[in-house]
Amino acid sequence: MSDQLWHWPAGAATGIGSLPGTDIAEAQRIVLGELPALPHLPELPARGPGADLIGRSAGLLVELPVELYAARWRIAPRPGKDLRRARDLMERDLDQLAEQAEEYAGPVKVQAGGPFTLAASLELPIGGRMIRDPGAVRDLAGSLAEGLRGHVEAVARRLPRAWVLLQLDEPSLPAVLAGRVPTESGFGTYRSVEAEVARALLRDVIEAAGVPTLVHCCAPDVPLELIRSAGAAGVALDLALVTDLDPLGEAIDAGLGLLAGAAPALPPSGGRAPSSAQLADRVRKVWDQLGFPRRRLPEQVVVTPACGLAGATPAYARAVLAACRDAGRRLAEE
């Protein structure tokens, strides 16, 4: 394993991003209270267009305006009200973060859609997803890289005692690589993106951000080697979707941090959130199967929910974040 300086304290836990509700002040209080070692900027998609993953992330693009058309985000000829709303929501969220975490000293995580998930979702003005046009994908990645650099700087200005971690949400990356992104008709799929092209563009975005970057993918077949070799500091995934441990073990051994999605994003049939002991056992079991020393676990692994919690009840979401926090502490104390 290569030498690695972890960008979070031992026994840390964090959220993936989204939470239920529409009150950003309350959401930020919950995050700072339940996840003191690695808080994140919460996302509240229930607020509507511009607060969703695609609209919120597209609002960060530079010189590539977007608009809503038939309930879908597409590239627009000029900035308009939809883009202003997305940017206003983000600005309010950052102001709230600065107000509540002004004296915070430690790592703080912000999230944005990655270039391939955006390319698989945003539509071209002439129709069709951006992923159909390799030139458009390159332009999108460049615009996103510049926008994320500015976004990270804006967070750092507001929290001068903290250091920023960036999370790129890439749930569509496996489908993009495998040529499984459906066309609008539903009768076909777009051509796959070559792994080398994807690696290079993802690396460009990560390097431009200028801070340790994590890639989140809550889908099967996470391309772990591509993510690691693109320069990511860590990967966030759903442990329940990991069917082959060998690639995960190789990535961890090569120095990739793991945000281990151990708690279900939606309540199980009984409705109760898992306990911290259950989450710690789940993470520990996977780690032991990988064959790594227990002493490395709390340093290299961050306990998280399996995915965003926007679809859960507020009570369940808060209980899950608290259970992740206490599970991380349990693992650190062993």
Side-chain angles (χ1 to χ4, degrees), residues 82-311:
D82 298 324
L83 180 58
R84 285 195 299 273
R85 173 178 166 79
R87 289 178 173 171
D88 286 347
L89 285 169
M90 180 68 82
E91 195 70 16
R92 271 183 256 166
D93 292 359
L94 293 181
D95 288 344
Q96 188 59 229
L97 175 65
E99 180 178 330
Q100 295 198 36
E102 182 180 9
E103 299 302 318
Y104 174 75
V108 62
K109 181 169 69 69
V110 296
Q111 306 81 219
F116 296 101
T117 292
L118 288 180
S121 303
L122 290 172
E123 297 193 353
L124 294 161
I126 59 173
R129 312 277 176 89
M130 294 188 79
I131 199 69
R132 70 183 289 184
D133 183 343
V137 175
R138 287 194 299 271
D139 291 344
L140 174 65
S143 174
L144 180 64
E146 188 173 348
L148 287 173
R149 184 191 299 115
H151 183 51
V152 166
E153 290 172 353
V155 176
R157 283 196 302 272
R158 285 171 166 85
L159 301 179
R161 300 179 62 192
W163 61 91
V164 181
L165 306 183
L166 173 65
Q167 175 183 301
L168 294 177
D169 290 316
E170 282 285 18
S172 298
L173 182 56
V176 165
L177 294 171
R180 297 197 306 262
V181 177
T183 59
E184 284 61 38
S185 68
F187 295 114
T189 58
Y190 290 109
R191 183 180 303 174
S192 62
V193 173
E194 294 182 3
E196 285 304 317
V197 173
R199 181 182 291 108
L201 290 181
L202 191 59
R203 183 187 297 116
D204 289 346
V205 173
I206 290 172
E207 290 178 351
V211 295
T213 299
L214 319 165
V215 176
H216 166 238
C217 184
C218 54
D221 305 320
V222 179
L224 290 162
E225 173 55 25
L226 187 153
I227 289 169
R228 186 198 64 78
S229 59
V235 63
L237 47 74
D238 181 351
L239 289 181
L241 298 179
V242 178
T243 56
D244 184 357
L245 288 176
D246 288 344
L248 180 58
E250 291 169 3
I252 289 174
D253 195 47
L256 199 66
L258 175 63
L259 275 68
L266 295 174
S269 56
R272 293 175 60 88
S275 68
S276 61
Q278 290 172 320
L279 297 187
D281 286 345
R282 188 171 191 189
V283 174
R284 192 187 301 110
K285 179 180 179 181
V286 172
W287 191 260
D288 289 346
Q289 288 175 327
L290 292 170
F292 295 117
R294 284 271 184 95
R295 59 178 173 77
R296 278 176 50 188
L297 192 164
E299 298 177 354
Q300 197 163 355
V301 177
V302 176
V303 183
T304 75
C307 202
L309 297 169

